[in-house]
Amino acid sequence: MPLPTLEELLATAVDREPMVDTAGKSGALLERVRIDGTAYVLKHLDRTRDWTLRSAGVLDGVTPTLWDRGLLGALPDCFEQPIVAVARTPVGASVLMRDVGQWLFPVSDEPISLEQHLRVLDHMARMHAAFWDAGPEIDVVPVMHRYLDLSPWTAEAEEWLGDPPLVPRLVGIGWPRLGEVAPAAYRVVGPLARDPGLLVEALADTPQTFVHGNVKLDNLGVTPEGRTVLLDWELSGRGAPASDLAWYLAINCRRLPQSKEAAIGAYREALERHGVDTDEWWERQVALCLLGALVQFGWEKALGGYDAELAWWEARALAAAHLL
């Protein structure tokens, strides 16, 4: 039996109301709706108001493409995938999801538990293993676009459009700041932030899989049964598995319950546990992806000045520069 369409589901929706004060910084509009007594969230992806859709460069919509190709349905069963219907619109898409808000990690700077953290790494590795060496169906957001997502180009484009959102404004402030507070790091990642071609080419010689692209704790949660909730698939597609790990370490740095080195080791162990042999490629890919994380987040690390966090990433970027 075919699944009901979004229009069919919404035909019986009641109690539709806008959601405010959510954690999202993209500009997407959210509504709470109730259908047959069940709570849902309706997300409106609109490239005229959502800068993340523009920066991903997939203007006909990432989530609809993932939905149409069956990639969300093919996720391992350790994930709670709440999307139940997707419809394309003239400006993007509308996405109907079961309301999983009660299971999401709280929005804060408090560390999550070690058990929660290790579960995220294990489930991330299980997803990567499930799509190892997948075919063209996972070619959605290009790797190049993922590394340009938080680039000076994004800041300049959003400024040109007028009234840029908060994150692109901070990106525009942060990149020059990195040159001031960490000139050695900037000499490596500054040019790559504008043209990551050398990085993308180097990573292409290492194993690829389906990556989420935005594994931040604001997008994650855990169900009572221990399944991982994972939201916001707007940067997903083919990529180096360690790029998801590097993004996770960079964006969640204040909330990690163990050192970055220990987390990297835990993820590698999880990949091996799920059947991936890491002997031949691991060191090179991880080094490149840690460099890549500073290409993505150098602006953010510089906003607080030169501290231990920036120094850690600078050291990794300098150590990996010879691999390009």
Side-chain angles (χ1 to χ4, degrees):
M1 178 181 297
L3 293 172
T5 66
L6 179 64
E7 291 76 11
E8 290 169 340
L9 287 168
L10 291 179
T12 58
V14 296
D15 299 329
R16 291 180 64 166
E17 60 180 13
M19 295 174 61
V20 296
D21 299 326
T22 60
K25 300 178 177 66
S26 69
L29 297 177
L30 302 176
E31 293 182 81
R32 290 192 192 280
V33 302
R34 188 167 294 276
I35 301 172
D36 296 331
T38 300
Y40 293 87
V41 172
L42 180 61
K43 184 173 185 178
H44 301 281
L45 300 170
D46 180 345
R47 61 178 171 269
T48 68
R49 56 177 294 124
D50 186 334
W51 69 272
T52 65
L53 301 188
R54 296 190 289 269
S55 65
V58 183
L59 298 183
D60 61 342
V62 176
T63 299
T65 301
L66 301 177
W67 182 260
D68 292 344
R69 295 182 184 179
L71 292 168
L72 298 179
L75 292 171
D77 60 10
C78 60
F79 288 97
E80 173 65 30
Q81 199 295 100
I83 297 175
V84 298
V86 177
R88 296 183 185 273
T89 69
V91 293
S94 293
V95 179
L96 187 67
M97 303 172 280
R98 291 185 299 276
D99 189 348
V100 294
Q102 62 181 322
W103 299 327
L104 297 179
F105 290 123
V107 179
S108 74
D109 283 338
E110 293 298 315
I112 60 175
S113 72
L114 182 60
E115 178 186 11
Q116 292 169 330
H117 162 75
L118 293 176
R119 182 191 293 113
V120 168
L121 294 178
D122 180 76
H123 290 181
M124 184 195 306
R126 186 171 169 187
M127 178 181 71
H128 293 158
F131 290 96
W132 205 258
D133 289 330
E137 70 275 7
I138 66 170
D139 293 319
V140 186
V141 176
V143 177
M144 181 74 81
H145 292 193
R146 206 172 291 122
Y147 282 109
L148 288 171
D149 181 56
L150 297 169
S151 72
W153 295 117
T154 294
E156 291 163 12
E158 295 300 318
E159 176 68 28
W160 183 85
L161 290 173
D163 192 23
L166 175 61
V167 171
R169 288 205 309 271
L170 293 176
V171 169
I173 295 169
W175 279 115
R177 184 81 53 86
L178 182 67
E180 297 168 2
V181 302
Y186 187 80
R187 281 194 291 273
V188 173
V189 301
L192 291 171
R194 286 195 173 272
D195 181 1
L198 290 176
L199 175 62
V200 172
E201 289 176 7
L203 283 170
D205 290 331
T206 66
Q208 306 287 296
T209 187
F210 179 63
V211 299
H212 178 268
N214 189 7
V215 192
K216 66 176 180 178
L217 290 174
D218 289 355
N219 290 335
L220 292 163
V222 58
T223 71
E225 298 78 26
R227 301 172 76 194
T228 293
V229 177
L230 189 51
L231 306 176
D232 288 355
W233 297 85
E234 299 311 313
L235 283 174
S236 303
R238 184 181 302 277
S243 66
D244 261 350
L245 171 67
W247 180 287
Y248 174 83
L249 297 177
I251 201 168
N252 301 311
C253 60
R254 297 174 185 84
R255 306 190 64 183
L256 301 178
Q258 64 177 175
S259 70
K260 296 181 182 68
E261 292 84 356
I264 292 168
Y267 170 77
R268 184 179 189 179
E269 291 174 4
L271 267 184
E272 295 275 357
R273 189 164 56 249
H274 295 300
V276 176
D277 185 352
T278 63
D279 286 344
E280 295 185 1
W281 55 270
W282 176 258
E283 299 296 340
R284 177 179 175 82
Q285 186 180 104
V286 169
L288 288 168
C289 287
L290 294 178
L291 165 61
L294 197 62
V295 172
Q296 293 165 315
F297 287 106
W299 64 273
E300 188 266 346
K301 302 303 177 186
L303 290 175
Y306 193 85
D307 57 9
E309 173 70 9
L310 177 52
W312 191 93
W313 289 101
E314 178 182 58
R316 273 68 197 173
L318 295 178
H322 73 284
L323 297 174
L324 298 177

